[in-house]
Amino acid sequence: MNRNNFIDLAGGVYENTKYYTQWSGTQKSENFWSFFDDTTDDYIHSVYAGVPVDLLKRKRMYSIEHIIPKSFLKTYLGKIGAEETVIKGSTTNPLNFAAAHRNINSARWNWPFDVEDDRIVRSYQIDMKGIYSDFGLDNEKEWVIPIRTQGDLARSILYMCLVYGISELYGEHLNVYRNWAKLDPPNIWELKYNDWVAEKLGIRNPLVADYNNPAQAFELLNDDQLMSSILLHR
């Protein structure tokens, strides 16, 4: 399979007439937070710290984490000459979103993810009971993420790279993301969210298993021709 085939499976390249920074609170709610209102969110946890999303919302400490930072998307896609609506769409594509604690989202900023199992040298604490703390920065200022979220993030990163033509991964990074996506399969909420986005916007991440074709995601992850298209070529 080539990248164009993948884009067809994904429902096309998501475009928009606004950047994320131009979105109102209502638009953020309609295109992301309403998913949690429409479902039983008691068991859905935020990225990194594992705080239940409903608790974050009650405490008003919730924030949308861009898995691939919007600043990177704007700069990279601008350099390769992407249409402005495509660049705007990349910053508002809900398949690149994750629910996060506001302070942790700010701490992560746009640091790249660690893929070498490095030790955390700077961890972050938040004033909530029962949270995890196995995340933070390593000595290279890379963001170490917990095992329980590796698959979710990897599937989003690979999807965004394939759909938006981002060829910036070294071979070892690509192999790690592929392994993360295989070893940490989607949970029920990731499946439901993928379907929710598809129903709303007509796009989906094919790397999240399809109920009608559960083997497809693994076939795509094992497709060397497809995956090599997002390697860094210089």
Side-chain angles (χ1 to χ4, degrees):
M1 180 175 291
N2 60 38
R3 185 179 279 174
N4 288 333
N5 299 142
F6 183 88
I7 291 172
D8 288 340
L9 281 177
V13 178
Y14 180 64
E15 302 182 37
N16 208 333
T17 58
K18 288 186 176 181
Y19 288 109
Y20 177 82
T21 52
Q22 298 172 316
W23 264 9
S24 65
T26 299
Q27 288 171 311
K28 292 175 184 177
S29 177
E30 289 176 351
N31 291 288
F32 184 66
W33 295 114
S34 62
F35 166 74
F36 302 96
D37 296 334
D38 294 343
T39 59
T40 305
D41 63 0
D42 295 347
Y43 305 105
I44 309 178
H45 294 90
S46 62
V47 70
Y48 312 136
V51 182
V53 174
D54 66 328
L55 176 59
L56 285 179
K57 293 178 76 175
R58 280 189 274 115
K59 297 285 188 179
R60 301 191 66 80
M61 292 299 295
Y62 58 96
S63 177
I64 294 176
E65 156 85 334
H66 282 75
I67 296 168
I68 295 184
K70 54 185 179 295
S71 57
F72 170 85
L73 292 168
K74 290 176 68 174
T75 300
Y76 183 88
L77 295 179
K79 284 182 177 178
I80 66 173
E83 296 288 337
E84 189 173 11
T85 54
V86 171
I87 300 174
K88 290 176 177 177
S90 73
T91 72
T92 54
N93 190 320
L95 296 174
N96 188 44
F97 292 172
H101 187 287
R102 188 172 65 199
N103 293 351
I104 295 172
N105 190 3
S106 177
R108 189 248 157 159
W109 192 45
N110 61 1
W111 302 118
F113 294 119
D114 166 65
V115 295
E116 300 164 331
D117 293 325
D118 286 339
R119 184 172 62 88
I120 298 169
V121 298
R122 183 177 178 184
S123 60
Y124 292 87
Q125 298 294 325
I126 55 177
D127 187 20
M128 285 187 177
K129 293 181 179 180
I131 69 155
Y132 302 106
S133 59
D134 51 342
F135 59 89
L137 291 172
D138 64 12
N139 60 5
E140 298 174 305
K141 289 190 175 179
E142 294 176 331
W143 190 252
V144 180
I145 61 174
I147 292 174
R148 65 186 172 276
T149 60
Q150 287 178 345
D152 310 46
L153 299 187
R155 282 182 285 275
S156 182
I157 291 168
L158 294 173
Y159 159 82
M160 290 292 290
C161 288
L162 286 164
V163 168
Y164 288 99
I166 301 170
S167 301
E168 277 290 300
L169 294 181
Y170 291 100
E172 58 268 30
H173 292 181
L174 175 61
N175 290 336
V176 167
Y177 290 143
R178 291 169 78 176
N179 285 334
W180 283 359
K182 294 175 187 177
L183 295 174
D184 177 29
N187 62 26
I188 185 63
W189 299 114
E190 190 177 351
L191 295 171
K192 286 180 178 290
Y193 181 67
N194 203 37
D195 287 343
W196 183 80
V197 173
E199 186 175 345
K200 270 185 85 70
L201 302 175
I203 58 170
R204 66 166 51 248
N205 185 348
L207 300 176
V208 177
D210 189 309
Y211 292 108
N212 298 318
N213 188 4
Q216 183 184 68
F218 276 87
E219 292 170 358
L220 293 172
L221 289 168
N222 287 326
D223 190 326
D224 292 331
Q225 177 181 333
L226 175 65
M227 291 295 158
S228 66
S229 69
I230 56 178
L231 287 173
L232 179 67
H233 299 292
R234 287 181 178 169

